[in-house]
Amino acid sequence: MKKLALVLAVLMLFVLTFSFAAMAMEKKGNVIVLKAADDHKDGYSTVEGLKLMSRLVDEWTSGRIKIEVYPGAVLGSEKETIEQTQMGVIDINRVSISPVVSVYPKMAVLALPYIFASREHMWKVLDGKIGQNMLSEIEKVGFLGLAYMDSGARSFYTVKKPILSPADLKGLKIRTQKSPVMMDMVSAMGGKPVPMAFEEVYSALQTGVIDGAENNPPSYYETSHYEVAKYYSLDQHAMVPEIVLMSTKTWNKLSDADKNIIKMAAIAAEELQKKLWLKDENIAMAKVKAAGCKIYNPEKKPFMDAVQPVYKKYASKYMDLIKEIQSMIK
Ligand code: GTR
């Protein structure tokens, strides 16, 4: 009996693996159809980037490769879509680097609090050897990176009182992305991290399940979190880049010429998104101010001091990398 169960389980695993592999890179006649996921809504800069990528690939392959863009987390929440990209169920996926850390721990260095001194510093690292090597190194875990996108800086927003220093976070339940490094950061500052899917945050803020969350201005605005958490403290604790992932299962089935086209289109998407980002940040800040949100600019030093334990934790493995990133500030 036990043997039969084992045989059945192995058979099931085989069928599942086979069908997932078959799912990667769907073909409709001679046309290759790729699914691209994003947890932001239509109109958000990252989605606009993916849509440009789709148009360019269509044009450059004369309609031989189509990229269907699915915004609004319709293919699943960020963590789920990362897993589905590893399995090849989703071909292309634009995500924040924070949750990628769970499957590729080295990426934590790019999500560390205050690791980047400015947007220029961040892009110098991403466009340089460190960032570019990581795009291909992550292939080990089932996807490669095609391009990065901008996500500005993340800051805290809360329902009942503003966060003016780490002491104000004491005892507060703060939603984090499903990411060890973001949870470590909130704990180090004295808050209680509550990992939760992006789509669940609005109602969690509304019902008091959490006291606050943290994100960049365009996300704070797009999700309407500003309606329920009106105190926005620009401590700018993390500039976490975003990444466009491509399943290796799909990638390996493409010709070199098609790989090149997809890579070039992703780079064009990155360029567009970076431009849109700057505009969207200003629009979001203006909108939330007009809606009556209270904006604060707390002194950053106490927040920087508070996150030192996070550096200690990651330094044991990635000290050289951290030092190299820090040496690129100027
Ligand atoms: C945003 C990011 C999303 C998601 C979200 C979150 O800044 O663009 O992909 O990671 O944060 O906090 O879950």
Side-chain angles (χ1 to χ4, degrees):
M1 200 56 199
K2 262 191 185 163
K3 246 189 183 169
L4 184 68
L6 191 72
V7 171
L8 279 176
V10 171
L11 206 68
M12 279 276 288
L13 197 70
F14 180 76
V15 171
L16 275 177
T17 316
F18 182 75
S19 45
F20 278 141
M23 249 186 263
M25 204 176 94
E26 191 190 337
K27 271 197 141 188
K28 287 186 185 154
N30 284 333
V31 177
I32 294 172
V33 183
L34 304 178
K35 286 195 190 71
D38 196 305
D39 64 354
H40 283 293
K41 295 179 190 144
D42 208 0
Y44 194 89
S45 57
T46 55
V47 178
E48 290 308 302
L50 289 182
K51 290 198 316 202
L52 172 70
M53 186 176 164
S54 166
R55 286 197 298 278
L56 291 176
V57 168
D58 193 344
E59 194 184 312
W60 293 340
T61 63
S62 310
R64 213 171 24 79
I65 303 182
K66 302 261 183 220
I67 299 178
E68 290 174 351
V69 180
Y70 293 88
V74 290
L75 297 184
S77 69
E78 206 164 35
K79 187 166 183 288
E80 291 156 10
T81 60
I82 289 173
E83 287 158 8
Q84 290 182 47
T85 312
Q86 288 177 299
M87 292 187 291
V89 178
I90 292 174
D91 306 287
I92 296 167
N93 194 6
R94 194 290 311 157
V95 291
S96 162
I97 275 177
S98 308
V100 178
V101 173
S102 304
V103 291
Y104 189 64
K106 194 176 174 184
M107 274 221 155
V109 296
L110 300 181
L112 281 172
Y114 298 110
I115 186 81
F116 299 120
S118 62
R119 171 174 280 121
E120 292 68 36
H121 178 209
M122 179 184 84
W123 279 107
K124 199 164 149 192
V125 173
L126 298 179
D127 290 338
K129 192 172 71 317
I130 296 177
Q132 295 304 303
N133 282 349
M134 283 217 194
L135 290 182
S136 48
E137 273 178 25
I138 47 170
E139 217 174 320
K140 289 180 204 143
V141 298
F143 35 62
L144 54 127
L146 295 174
Y148 290 106
M149 287 189 176
D150 209 320
S151 193
R154 302 176 73 98
S155 294
F156 290 111
Y157 44 86
T158 34
V159 178
K160 290 195 179 136
K161 56 166 195 170
I163 305 300
L164 302 179
S165 79
D168 293 323
L169 283 162
K170 202 168 165 31
L172 293 195
K173 287 186 255 114
I174 302 293
R175 178 269 171 174
T176 66
Q177 292 165 298
K178 292 188 176 173
S179 164
V181 66
M182 298 308 276
M183 292 175 67
D184 290 340
M185 181 197 72
V186 168
S187 299
M189 289 187 185
K192 289 186 190 152
V194 182
M196 184 184 284
F198 193 35
E199 310 77 64
E200 289 163 17
V201 181
Y202 184 92
S203 69
L205 286 167
Q206 204 178 28
T207 55
V209 169
I210 50 174
D211 301 300
E214 46 83 53
N215 222 314
N216 52 51
S219 296
Y220 177 52
Y221 174 60
E222 178 210 40
T223 51
S224 300
H225 292 174
Y226 70 95
E227 290 172 2
V228 279
K230 287 195 170 297
Y231 299 105
Y232 195 22
S233 301
L234 303 176
D235 66 305
Q236 303 187 318
H237 50 251
M239 295 186 96
V240 185
E242 317 224 320
I243 189 166
V244 180
L245 300 173
M246 172 120 201
S247 176
T248 26
K249 290 215 161 66
T250 309
W251 188 249
N252 292 339
K253 290 184 185 170
L254 294 168
S255 69
D256 284 350
D258 287 347
K259 282 179 182 165
N260 206 27
I261 285 177
I262 288 179
K263 177 80 189 165
M264 296 308 290
I267 291 169
E270 173 185 307
E271 288 308 317
L272 172 71
Q273 193 273 341
K274 277 163 78 172
K275 278 192 206 119
L276 294 176
W277 183 261
L278 297 175
K279 177 174 68 70
D280 289 353
E281 251 182 356
N282 291 331
I283 295 176
M285 284 311 293
K287 293 273 187 194
V288 301
K289 271 183 200 158
C293 291
K294 300 257 182 293
I295 315 292
Y296 302 87
N297 288 291
E299 196 200 334
K300 288 185 190 163
K301 172 93 170 45
F303 291 93
M304 289 176 170
D305 291 346
V307 296
Q308 288 316 305
V310 185
Y311 276 81
K312 279 207 187 91
K313 179 171 169 184
Y314 290 91
S316 58
K317 271 191 159 171
Y318 306 118
M319 197 53 197
D320 291 350
L321 209 49
I322 293 173
K323 280 208 169 128
E324 202 178 332
I325 294 176
Q326 286 169 336
S327 76
M328 288 171 76
I329 287 181
K330 274 185 195 144

